[in-house]
């Protein structure tokens, strides 16, 4: 069974940083493109970043480009999101999702709250 | 960026009825790389349809997708209590994935 488990969320002040992690199991993690998607309270999902299996092709949404960095460690079956210069509007539940074109498996999410 | 607009915003129906949800793209979706997801309260989105009309594993035949180009439809026949949720369309034909704003399907 495919499982994705996110961690690292929490309360952070505006301008602060946070690093999210996602561990995958039940599939060959190193073979799959992976994504981060977030969902603000009461809103729809917003895709924010993708990384291919070998970390060669990386994409970002305009809303996070230059502030967030996606990375992965295939030896640890792990996906990461380094979030810097956080803003109030980054408050959301952050999901990692496996990219089978489309996003065929999602984790349960980790909550990030940006507030002073 | 391809903008997806879903309608209606809310759909109120009774169990046993049929639901028709619409998703319109601001430009043609290639291939078509168009998916539909269902999100129940407190859960993450779950894939229903991909490639505009292909059912994901375990999705019943009463749930179907259609469309091409810029206009896509999700149809749910014989509504059951577990169908009442929020539905999102998503395009994945470009490197920048986008979602629609969602349609809430509620019990009348």
């Amino acid at each position: 069974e495919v499982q994705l488990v996110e961690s690292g969320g929490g309360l952070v002040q505006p301008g602060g940083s946070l690093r999210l992690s996602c561990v995958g199991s039940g599939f060959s993690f190193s073979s799959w493109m992976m994504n981060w998607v977030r969902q603000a309270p009461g809103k729809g999902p917003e895709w924010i970043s993708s990384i291919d299996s070998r970390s060669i092709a990386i994409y970002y949404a305009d809303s996070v480009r230059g502030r967030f960095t996606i990375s992965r460690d295939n030896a640890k079956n792990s996906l990461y999101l380094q979030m810097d210069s956080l803003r109030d509007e980054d408050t959301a539940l952050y999901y990692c999702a496996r990219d089978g074109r489309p996003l065929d498996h999602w984790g349960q999410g980790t909550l990030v709250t940006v507030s002073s | 960026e391809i903008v997806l607009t879903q309608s209606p915003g809310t759909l109120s129906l009774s169990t046993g009825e049929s639901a028709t949800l619409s998703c319109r793209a601001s430009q043609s979706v290639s291939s078509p790389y168009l998916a539909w997801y269902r999100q129940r309260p407190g859960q993450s989105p779950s894939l229903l349809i991909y490639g505009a009309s292909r059912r994901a594993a375990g999705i019943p035949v009463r749930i179907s997708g259609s469309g091409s180009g810029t206009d896509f439809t999700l149809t749910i026949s014989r509504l059951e209590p577990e169908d009442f949720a929020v539905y999102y369309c998503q395009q994945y034909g470009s490197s920048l994935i986008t979602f629609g704003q969602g349609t809430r399907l509620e019990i009348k």
Side-chain angles (χ1 to χ4, degrees), chain B residues 28-47:
Chain B
S28 183
V29 177
S30 58
S31 198
Y33 292 128
L34 192 286
W36 291 91
Y37 297 83
R38 174 181 60 207
Q39 187 172 32
R40 294 170 173 149
Q43 296 185 13
S44 53
S46 177
L47 180 65

Side-chain angles (χ1 to χ4, degrees), chain B residues 36-105:
Chain B
W36 291 91
Y37 297 83
R38 174 181 60 207
Q39 187 172 32
R40 294 170 173 149
Q43 296 185 13
S44 53
S46 177
L47 180 65
L48 298 174
I49 298 287
Y50 64 98
S53 60
R54 298 184 175 194
R55 292 181 197 82
I59 302 304
V61 296
R62 61 186 186 82
I63 296 177
S64 62
S66 62
S68 64
T70 60
D71 289 294
F72 300 89
T73 300
L74 178 71
T75 302
I76 309 172
S77 304
R78 301 181 302 281
L79 285 168
E80 299 182 3
E82 58 267 29
D83 295 327
F84 293 95
V86 182
Y87 291 81
Y88 298 98
C89 59
Q90 175 215 37
Q91 69 78 25
Y92 50 100
S94 74
S95 57
L96 304 184
I97 294 170
T98 52
F99 290 86
Q101 84 281 14
T103 290
R104 179 178 302 277
L105 178 56

Side-chain angles (χ1 to χ4, degrees), chain A residues 8 10 24 50 59 90 102:
Chain A
S50 297
Y59 306 97
D90 294 320

